[in-house]
Amino acid sequence: MNPKLTWSLRRVWPGLIGLLALTIGIMLGLAPGRSSEPPPHARLVNRLPMLRPDYSDTVIPPNIAPLNFRVAEPGRAFWVEVRGERGMSIRIGSRASTVEIPAAPWRALLTTNAGSRIYFDVFAREPGGAWDRFLSVTNRVALEPIDGTLVYRLLGPLYNYYNDIGIYQRDLEGYRQKLIVDSSDIGHHCLNCHTFLNGRPDTFAFHVRGVAGPQPMILVQSNQVSRVDNTAGYFSWHPSGRLIAYSANKLSFFVHTTGEARDVFDADSDLKIYRVDANRVETPPVIGQPDWNETWPAWGPTGRHLYFCRARKQTLRDFRKVRYDLARVSYDLARDAWGKVETLVAAADSGLSASEPVVSPDGRWLLFCLAPYGNFPIYQPKADLYVMDLRTRHWRRLSINSDQADTWHSWSRNGRWVVFSSKRDNGLLARPYFTYVDEQGTFYKPFLLPQRDPAYYDAYLKTFNRPELVTGPVAVSRAALARAVLRPERVRRPASSVAEDQTPAAPHYSTAQ
Amino acid sequence: MSKRRKPKREADIQVGREAVRKVKGSGVGGAPGLAPGAPAPAPGQPAGAEKTSIWVGSGVCGLAALFVGLGVEPVLRYHHAVTPFFWDTQSFRQCWAAPGGLLRYAADFIAQLNWNNWIGAGLTLALLGATWVVGRRLLLYLIGSDGVTPLVAVFALTAGYGRYAWPAEEIALGLLLASGAVLGWFALPGRALWARVVSFWVLATAFFWVAGPEPFVLLVLLAVGGEAGIRRRFASAAGCGLALLLMPAWMACAPAFDPLQTLHRSQGSGSLALGMAAYLVLPVGLMLSALLRRGRWCPEATGPDRRGAVSERSSVGRMPWLRWSSWVLVSGGGVALVWASWDTQLEMSIQVDRFACQREWGQALLAATRLRQFSETANLQITRALFRVGRLPEDFLKFPQQRDRDLLPDYRYGMGMCRAEAQTLLELGQVNLAAHFAHEALEFDGPRPETLELLARIYILKDQPAAARVFLNRLRLMPFHRAEADARLRALAADPKTAEDPELAMLRTRLPHTDDPSPRLPTRVVLEQALAANRQNRMAFEYLMADCLLEAQLDLLTREIPRLADFSYPAIPTLYEQALIFDQVLRWVNRLPDSQILARVRTNIRQATLDEYHRFAAVLESYHQDRAAARGALAAQFGNTWWYYVLYGQTGGQPPSPEDAWTSRFSAILGNSVRELPATDNSNAPAPTRAVAPEPASAPSR
């Protein structure tokens, strides 16, 4: 080797080693580490620590991703032990207040402690060097798992116009979020509500708005994509997969000068049935009465009842007087026969307006929204979740509600978990919350969808809209969905939907936030 | 003649070989694709010519950066069109999701440097310099002579900077990456056809994902041009060209994929062509050079042999007259292109908006005096600035107005005005309507700093500090805005209402008390509601009066005129006087009675205004009431009066020029922002007109 080069290397070598050691030292110092022993001589602080997000006193599924959090307490350093009632613990020491729980030990901890409690022991080091220990945070691990995937729409807090809307899926056992379809994939049109058949990831539908002509419904059946040229609003699959009940709404957006700015008025709506197998649209008179507005269709788990909301037609001037009843109508699929409409929650009795009925998979619990007026609860801070026991017809307001809008709920397939959108954090941007429901219909304190970075939501400007639990990941490709909108290979034009086909393009505002 | 010059030519060629060795030594040159021992490509460019070329190139890049720094002003590009960039893993992850995302992320990152004008100019210099250097290296490597092509690329980029919304950083980075990548590929060892083609496909595929479609096409064109045009390896060129099939293949997979995604982001006429020119300069230059070698311009040229070696006899460098004339031509044409494509009207419009956002009202009005095309954003900000300096009732019609203009426009005029309208509505106290337009701006312009800051203020006023915090947390993720966001977050943590903030405290007194739900409230209703919530809301009053003037609603104006008593005007503002005189004339003609209040107000109309009306009427009379014929004469003398506006539906005077004495009032304000209208509605506040320019001593006081 060149002697000059050797000499140079000799001189540089110690410096390089020093630099490397310094880098490693800094990285180790900054990185959240695992510490084996709890801080000695810690002073007990007789209260619970403040955790962000608030993961305390809640019930969590045994298959949820690690509940990373930030200790919202002053301190120079932090030490956290996550331990289970039935053994196992994870110890994390960090100079930062962010606590990131490693995935594998977390999974083992939850598996070991399913059906029992887990504890977060939090220590914070004061500027003086002394350690404070807070009371243990307790959470319970349920026996029943939650469905593995959450599908939701991400969109800005929209008014009249949209630019970027996407339907995403999130693996609940980890943090992976994947795009299903984005408005940029389909020529920047609006992606409207998605609906899955019995929580199956291979069969679902969503609606596209803003295109010229009929607003297409994209139908995915066993991962085969087709386009149905039929304008629809909200829809619900019949459990058989042969029918889709949908609403045809004439919505108009308006703005308040005080309070919550946004509002939506439904001037005219009816329910219709799209027969998937026969490619035909029907308007049964019982759910399409001319002097009533019917909307928010939802099939019961057996398909023998269609739940919906209805109100007498009013003008925009009287929008505050519009209150929807919660009703249902029986249906016999074999005979294609409709029964009579029965009112479950009358607006006259509740003084409130019903929307978004969803029945639990076991058919016992009917979860719905009540708001002061109208049928767009997401824009009403007073919108709350209510539950009805369909055996007794007794209904009640849930204790899990907040002082902001709590809406858009979906059941897990085992009926033990509910996800809903809540604006409780800031009153503007909805976030997905999960709650455990026991056999008696008790709803437990909800917890926020965990993220790898606990500060994720602090600066996140999108709203999580229409979260829906699905049993597995959606496999159909973005390209296939985009092609179905832009260059469809299979276009279905329902037989009796001539009137719908001539409906003018919907205005460019979102109908579901 | 050629015989006489031969010895010199040979000497030049010797020096040229030295130049190539230098290039080789730098790790870029060599004998690409040649077997070991094959002769290196020898440039025909003499060393003297190379030095001159370097001086010319450096000079052009330096001057271009100076032009961008002083003329275009990177800080204006930042204000107008910078793509929001955030330091977080989520944003970084998103950039992997589509072809070109990484390049865009990098371009967005460096574009943040435009936040400071001179750092932005430095960035421009670096990008232009690097473009020139890499382009030159590529051409030197392939044809042994750089010629003028890299300079043309520099001029095209510089011209793009003057379009403001043109994605100059992204295009420059794309050019650099493509040139660098193709240079690297040419330098790869190995001559086997399959190896070259396969390695190119791998490179091209990775490049497509990293840099996006346009730089990808550039890469392929350069490779094909180099292989076919210069090295005459037609099979290799065809193999490389096949990589273009990736585009239709990807388009089949992603139907919404836009192969001109970067170029379509550039706005304004000619911007797309300019972008295409910037991308195509190098391949076109390469092909032209290849043709020139074999053309009549270089009769002795032989072109490169099949191994890629460039003939020693082929060079433009041997014809200094051609070199110099091409430099002069390109420089002249480049300067003309840069000048012609510089959108000075857009520049002024951005200046108005930027100064208004920074609350430098005098500067905003000064910039407005140079405007000839008024965008809705500019109109909104000029009106705001006029109010803030206390000149709205006096000088509203000194800027072009026409009857179909709405003081608070809606979507008919595009989405670009949303943020400016939100700022205006917020200052009027219409916090919900401000939220409406601010959210539209957020959706369409993205989370830009001014919009995030505005939304934070809106949600503080709406008593939703948690929502305000989300916007501020977002703001602190942006480079250069962390300190500002942190300060606001601290203030918010200390007091969720931030009652200490005088402007927010003042705005709280203006918030509406009644709900007036509507899909779209007419301007007048918005202003009347603001006045109903706080009758001391001077901004709402002056805007309402301006709206009445604009709509020529005399009834409404005379109905509102008694509100003058709520504010401490030293005299009735001139435009209101003009309207009152006109109203009086109409009543007299139509024999309508005058109300007692109006009659009292009219006694305070200044004699000067009355005299002016008489002069106006006399001119009109001299044309026998023929409005069309009188228009020219009236416009010259009375174009900025309300009488003229009523007659013709638009103002007729020239907008004030910076040299006008009128403007000197604003110049006086420039150095003293304290003189701006206090952001209070207190009627005891000093009258702005007094502070800015004293009215004539003869003006009657109320």
Side-chain angles (χ1 to χ4, degrees):
Chain A
M1 192 182 270
N2 186 339
K4 262 190 178 177
L5 184 67
T6 318
W7 181 81
S8 304
L9 275 177
R10 265 193 211 138
R11 288 192 65 183
V12 170
W13 196 239
L16 281 177
I17 292 176
L19 193 66
L20 189 68
L22 186 69
T23 310
I24 292 171
I26 290 171
M27 286 175 74
L28 285 176
L30 290 179
R34 292 188 210 173
S35 177
S36 55
E37 291 304 317
H41 315 300
R43 188 187 64 181
L44 183 67
V45 180
N46 199 22
R47 64 174 174 84
L48 291 172
M50 298 271 282
L51 304 186
R52 292 281 175 271
D54 178 13
Y55 293 132
S56 66
D57 200 22
T58 183
V59 183
I60 60 172
N63 58 337
I64 194 77
L67 301 182
N68 293 342
F69 57 84
R70 191 168 55 82
V71 183
E73 299 286 354
R76 256 175 31 176
F78 299 89
W79 193 89
V80 174
E81 181 173 23
V82 185
R83 59 188 169 84
E85 204 173 39
R86 295 184 187 159
M88 282 201 66
S89 75
I90 305 165
R91 294 172 172 186
I92 302 152
S94 169
R95 285 182 192 279
S97 59
T98 300
V99 176
E100 290 189 23
I101 305 169
W106 169 260
R107 234 171 275 135
L109 180 92
L110 292 193
T111 309
T112 309
N113 290 281
S116 64
R117 288 182 172 76
I118 60 167
Y119 304 98
F120 297 161
D121 294 329
V122 178
F123 295 72
R125 190 173 199 174
E126 289 177 347
W131 284 91
D132 286 339
R133 179 191 172 157
F134 296 88
L135 294 180
S136 294
V137 173
T138 308
N139 290 297
R140 192 157 72 79
V141 184
L143 280 171
E144 303 89 345
I146 195 167
D147 295 346
T149 304
L150 184 71
V151 177
Y152 44 82
R153 227 166 39 136
L154 285 178
L155 65 169
L158 302 181
Y159 278 69
N160 285 68
Y161 290 87
Y162 62 85
N163 187 38
D164 181 20
I165 297 177
I167 299 177
Y168 291 79
Q169 58 179 322
R170 163 71 194 268
D171 166 27
L172 290 180
E173 297 181 12
Y175 301 110
R176 189 174 152 77
Q177 175 180 275
K178 195 180 164 202
L179 187 60
I180 295 175
V181 64
D182 182 73
S183 56
S184 65
D185 295 335
I186 56 166
H188 289 282
H189 299 306
C190 178
L191 289 163
N192 220 339
C193 305
H194 50 272
T195 310
F196 288 81
L197 168 64
N198 303 330
R200 278 172 52 184
D202 65 342
T203 302
F204 63 99
F206 65 89
H207 195 238
V208 176
R209 291 151 58 93
V211 299
Q215 312 294 293
M217 177 199 292
I218 303 303
L219 210 58
V220 181
Q221 293 171 284
S222 303
N223 288 332
Q224 295 298 307
V225 188
S226 55
R227 167 179 162 150
V228 184
D229 280 353
N230 184 46
T231 306
Y234 311 109
F235 38 90
S236 170
W237 285 87
H238 189 273
S240 67
R242 292 168 57 191
L243 313 177
I244 291 176
Y246 70 89
S247 62
N249 308 72
K250 194 173 174 184
L251 302 172
S252 55
F253 176 85
F254 61 100
V255 180
H256 294 276
T257 49
T258 56
E260 163 66 54
R262 296 166 292 175
D263 211 337
V264 172
F265 177 72
D266 191 350
D268 189 12
S269 59
D270 280 320
L271 293 183
K272 300 182 184 225
I273 302 293
Y274 172 58
R275 290 194 165 274
V276 181
D277 44 6
N279 190 30
R280 197 173 69 238
V281 167
E282 294 169 357
T283 310
V286 69
I287 53 172
Q289 295 178 16
D291 49 345
W292 288 82
N293 280 340
E294 295 96 347
T295 186
W296 293 111
W299 288 102
T302 58
R304 284 203 294 271
H305 287 99
L306 177 68
Y307 295 80
F308 61 99
C309 301
R310 65 173 193 168
R312 292 264 178 204
K313 282 181 182 160
Q314 303 264 16
T315 58
L316 175 60
R317 203 177 49 190
D318 294 324
F319 71 94
R320 283 189 203 279
K321 295 180 187 166
V322 179
R323 292 193 176 82
Y324 284 75
D325 297 331
L326 178 58
R328 74 174 183 181
V329 60
S330 61
Y331 176 67
D332 185 338
L333 180 64
R335 293 191 297 119
D336 188 22
W338 294 88
K340 282 185 180 173
V341 173
E342 54 178 322
T343 301
L344 299 174
V345 179
D349 299 336
S350 65
L352 297 166
S353 183
S355 58
E356 302 178 1
V358 187
V359 186
S360 63
D362 62 4
R364 180 168 175 194
W365 307 106
L366 172 60
L367 201 53
F368 58 99
C369 265
L370 286 181
Y373 64 86
N375 79 337
F376 221 74
I378 198 77
Y379 290 155
Q380 297 195 34
K382 288 183 180 167
D384 283 331
L385 293 174
Y386 288 71
V387 70
M388 173 183 278
D389 186 342
L390 286 171
R391 287 189 202 160
T392 62
R393 298 282 177 93
H394 171 73
W395 57 272
R396 62 190 158 87
R397 181 179 177 274
L398 294 178
S399 61
I400 60 168
N401 284 301
S402 66
D403 58 352
Q404 298 293 340
D406 298 291
T407 58
W408 281 126
H409 37 278
S410 163
W411 290 90
S412 68
R413 293 312 298 161
N414 59 15
R416 292 281 81 87
W417 299 97
V418 167
V419 62
F420 62 99
S421 270
S422 177
K423 293 187 179 176
R424 63 189 62 201
D425 291 341
N426 52 56
L428 175 71
L429 301 154
R431 311 297 193 206
Y433 276 81
F434 300 89
T435 177
Y436 178 73
V437 189
D438 67 17
E439 285 178 4
Q440 284 71 46
T442 306
F443 288 68
Y444 290 80
K445 182 182 169 184
F447 68 92
L448 182 61
L449 172 68
Q451 301 286 352
R452 188 186 301 280
D453 176 11
Y456 178 88
Y457 297 104
D458 293 352
Y460 194 60
L461 296 180
K462 298 234 167 177
T463 197
F464 285 75
N465 179 238
R466 198 178 167 87
E468 190 161 346
L469 287 163
V470 187
T471 53
V474 174
V476 68
S477 72
R478 274 172 76 179
L481 294 172
R483 265 198 304 274
V485 178
L486 299 177
R487 294 201 299 263
E489 288 157 11
R490 277 194 290 270
V491 181
R492 302 166 127 208
R493 293 191 175 82
S496 59
S497 63
V498 179
E500 281 82 42
D501 282 3
Q502 290 166 349
T503 309
H508 294 197
Y509 54 78
S510 168
T511 57
Q513 278 193 64
Chain B
M1 188 179 170
S2 63
K3 273 183 185 176
R4 266 187 285 128
R5 289 182 60 186
K6 199 172 180 181
K8 187 173 185 301
R9 246 184 258 152
E10 282 173 356
D12 284 349
I13 291 165
Q14 290 298 325
V15 183
R17 280 182 179 149
E18 284 301 314
V20 165
R21 277 184 212 114
K22 280 181 194 168
V23 173
K24 278 177 77 176
S26 68
V28 181
L34 301 183
Q45 182 157 299
E50 188 183 345
K51 270 190 185 170
T52 318
S53 164
I54 290 171
W55 278 112
V56 170
S58 310
V60 167
C61 289
L63 286 173
L66 210 59
F67 162 74
V68 171
L70 287 171
V72 174
E73 295 190 63
V75 75
L76 294 184
R77 294 186 64 240
Y78 180 87
H79 180 81
H80 180 61
V82 73
T83 307
F85 176 88
F86 299 100
W87 289 110
D88 62 343
T89 48
Q90 192 192 340
S91 306
F92 183 71
R93 253 189 247 129
Q94 275 178 359
C95 75
W96 282 100
L102 263 182
L103 179 81
R104 184 175 301 171
Y105 192 73
D108 291 347
F109 169 65
I110 61 170
Q112 305 302 309
L113 297 178
N114 291 328
W115 176 75
N116 178 292
N117 200 55
W118 288 107
I119 296 177
L123 168 73
T124 307
L125 178 63
L127 285 175
L128 295 180
T131 305
W132 176 71
V133 166
V134 175
R136 188 170 170 271
R137 278 284 165 96
L138 181 71
L139 295 175
L140 272 177
Y141 184 75
L142 285 172
I143 57 176
S145 163
D146 56 349
V148 292
T149 309
L151 277 188
V152 178
V154 167
F155 276 117
L157 283 175
T158 311
Y161 275 92
R163 311 297 299 177
Y164 291 93
W166 202 73
E169 286 81 9
E170 194 174 335
I171 291 176
L173 275 187
L175 276 174
L176 275 174
L177 271 183
S179 311
V182 84
L183 205 51
W185 179 75
F186 279 136
L188 280 179
R191 294 177 55 194
L193 175 66
W194 69 267
R196 296 196 65 74
V197 171
V198 168
S199 63
F200 185 76
W201 283 353
V202 171
L203 171 72
T205 308
F207 195 80
F208 175 69
W209 199 259
V210 168
E214 296 100 328
F216 163 77
V217 172
L218 175 62
L219 176 88
V220 177
L221 289 181
L222 286 174
V224 170
E227 290 290 89
I230 310 295
R231 293 169 149 191
R232 313 188 74 181
R233 291 171 164 168
F234 296 108
S236 171
C240 293
L242 283 178
L244 278 178
L245 290 175
L246 191 61
M247 291 272 277
W250 183 253
M251 285 167 80
C253 293
F257 173 69
D258 179 5
L260 296 177
Q261 58 187 25
T262 306
L263 294 175
H264 281 154
R265 281 170 59 212
S266 53
Q267 299 160 11
S269 59
S271 295
L272 183 73
L274 206 54
M276 289 183 108
Y279 277 123
L280 292 176
V281 162
L282 280 179
V284 169
L286 195 64
M287 295 312 293
L288 282 178
S289 301
L291 289 174
L292 271 176
R293 283 176 184 289
R294 290 185 281 277
R296 63 193 177 88
W297 285 94
C298 309
E300 297 165 43
T302 57
D305 60 24
R306 291 190 65 81
R307 292 172 302 180
V310 181
S311 163
E312 292 179 8
R313 295 169 65 201
S314 64
S315 172
V316 174
R318 281 179 290 109
M319 290 180 280
W321 64 270
L322 183 58
R323 196 171 63 237
W324 279 107
S325 56
S326 60
W327 278 341
V328 169
L329 264 177
V330 164
S331 300
V335 169
L337 174 72
V338 168
W339 198 256
S341 64
W342 186 15
D343 194 342
T344 50
Q345 281 303 295
L346 181 58
E347 181 201 5
M348 286 303 128
S349 195
I350 302 167
Q351 292 265 26
V352 171
D353 185 46
R354 179 166 170 267
F355 284 127
C357 286
Q358 293 176 341
R359 293 150 193 270
E360 294 178 27
W361 310 110
Q363 292 277 19
L365 289 171
L366 197 61
T369 58
R370 299 192 184 99
L371 263 178
R372 293 299 172 265
Q373 295 158 15
F374 290 79
S375 65
E376 281 308 316
T377 302
N379 277 334
L380 280 160
Q381 299 294 32
I382 290 168
T383 312
R384 239 177 110 210
L386 281 172
F387 167 72
R388 286 301 192 120
V389 299
R391 301 296 305 173
L392 185 60
E394 299 288 338
D395 296 333
F396 180 56
L397 295 184
K398 284 188 175 160
F399 289 94
Q401 309 290 350
Q402 53 188 33
R403 198 167 288 171
D404 60 354
R405 194 203 142 189
D406 196 341
L407 206 58
L408 300 173
D410 60 16
Y411 301 120
R412 271 178 302 163
Y413 303 96
M415 304 298 291
M417 53 72 195
C418 285
R419 200 231 320 114
E421 180 142 357
Q423 287 168 329
T424 304
L425 286 164
L426 183 66
E427 286 173 22
L428 284 165
Q430 291 286 12
V431 67
N432 271 13
L433 305 181
H436 181 178
F437 282 96
H439 277 291
E440 304 289 23
L442 179 69
E443 189 66 14
F444 271 81
D445 298 337
R448 297 162 66 86
E450 307 85 30
T451 310
L452 292 175
E453 195 267 341
L454 177 67
L455 280 161
R457 294 170 73 78
I458 285 170
Y459 283 97
I460 293 170
L461 279 173
K462 281 171 70 70
D463 289 331
Q464 289 180 256
R469 218 169 280 129
V470 179
F471 294 110
L472 292 175
N473 282 330
R474 197 75 192 157
L475 183 65
R476 78 185 291 279
L477 292 176
M478 297 187 89
F480 308 116
H481 293 279
R482 174 168 285 221
E484 170 197 353
D486 279 341
R488 289 185 185 278
L489 281 166
R490 276 195 300 275
L492 198 58
D495 175 13
K497 282 187 179 290
T498 49
E500 298 285 303
D501 186 324
E503 182 152 348
L504 287 180
M506 181 273 295
L507 287 178
R508 278 205 176 84
T509 66
R510 295 181 176 180
L511 298 181
H513 308 307
T514 54
D515 188 13
D516 206 346
S518 165
R520 161 76 183 139
L521 282 177
T523 299
R524 191 166 46 79
V525 178
V526 171
L527 299 170
E528 282 174 348
Q529 196 197 32
L531 265 178
N534 181 350
R535 60 178 293 140
Q536 298 287 315
N537 187 340
R538 185 181 186 129
M539 184 178 181
F541 172 70
E542 290 192 359
Y543 267 65
L544 182 61
M545 297 302 272
D547 187 57
C548 292
L549 292 170
L550 208 55
E551 298 285 321
Q553 296 271 8
L554 262 183
D555 291 353
L556 290 170
L557 187 132
T558 50
R559 195 185 73 193
E560 297 295 337
I561 210 82
R563 284 184 190 270
L564 277 171
D566 293 341
F567 309 97
S568 57
Y569 290 96
I572 302 173
T574 311
L575 291 176
Y576 305 170
E577 282 184 327
Q578 291 174 358
L580 284 171
I581 292 169
F582 196 79
D583 174 66
Q584 196 173 16
V585 172
L586 280 183
R587 282 177 194 275
W588 182 76
V589 169
N590 296 321
R591 298 176 191 282
L592 293 171
D594 207 356
S595 75
Q596 211 173 5
I597 298 174
L598 270 182
R600 200 167 55 242
V601 170
R602 284 200 179 99
T603 59
N604 291 328
I605 293 174
R606 285 165 292 187
Q607 188 59 43
T609 315
L610 286 168
D611 292 346
E612 193 179 16
Y613 177 73
H614 290 309
R615 285 200 303 276
F616 177 88
V619 172
L620 189 60
E621 194 58 39
S622 69
Y623 286 89
H624 308 291
Q625 297 285 340
D626 183 348
R627 287 197 296 180
R631 186 165 189 164
L634 287 174
Q637 290 182 62
F638 305 99
N640 296 330
T641 64
W642 190 71
W643 306 311
Y644 182 92
Y645 176 80
V646 165
L647 271 186
Y648 299 106
Q650 59 183 170
T651 49
Q654 289 295 312
S657 74
E659 292 75 29
D660 279 353
W662 176 84
T663 313
S664 64
R665 292 184 200 157
F666 297 122
S667 305
I669 301 160
L670 301 185
N672 191 2
S673 295
V674 181
R675 285 190 180 185
E676 77 175 52
L677 185 70
T680 67
D681 295 308
N682 187 352
S683 57
N684 296 323
T689 43
R690 209 176 292 149
V692 177
E695 294 295 337
S698 59
S701 58
R702 278 187 302 111

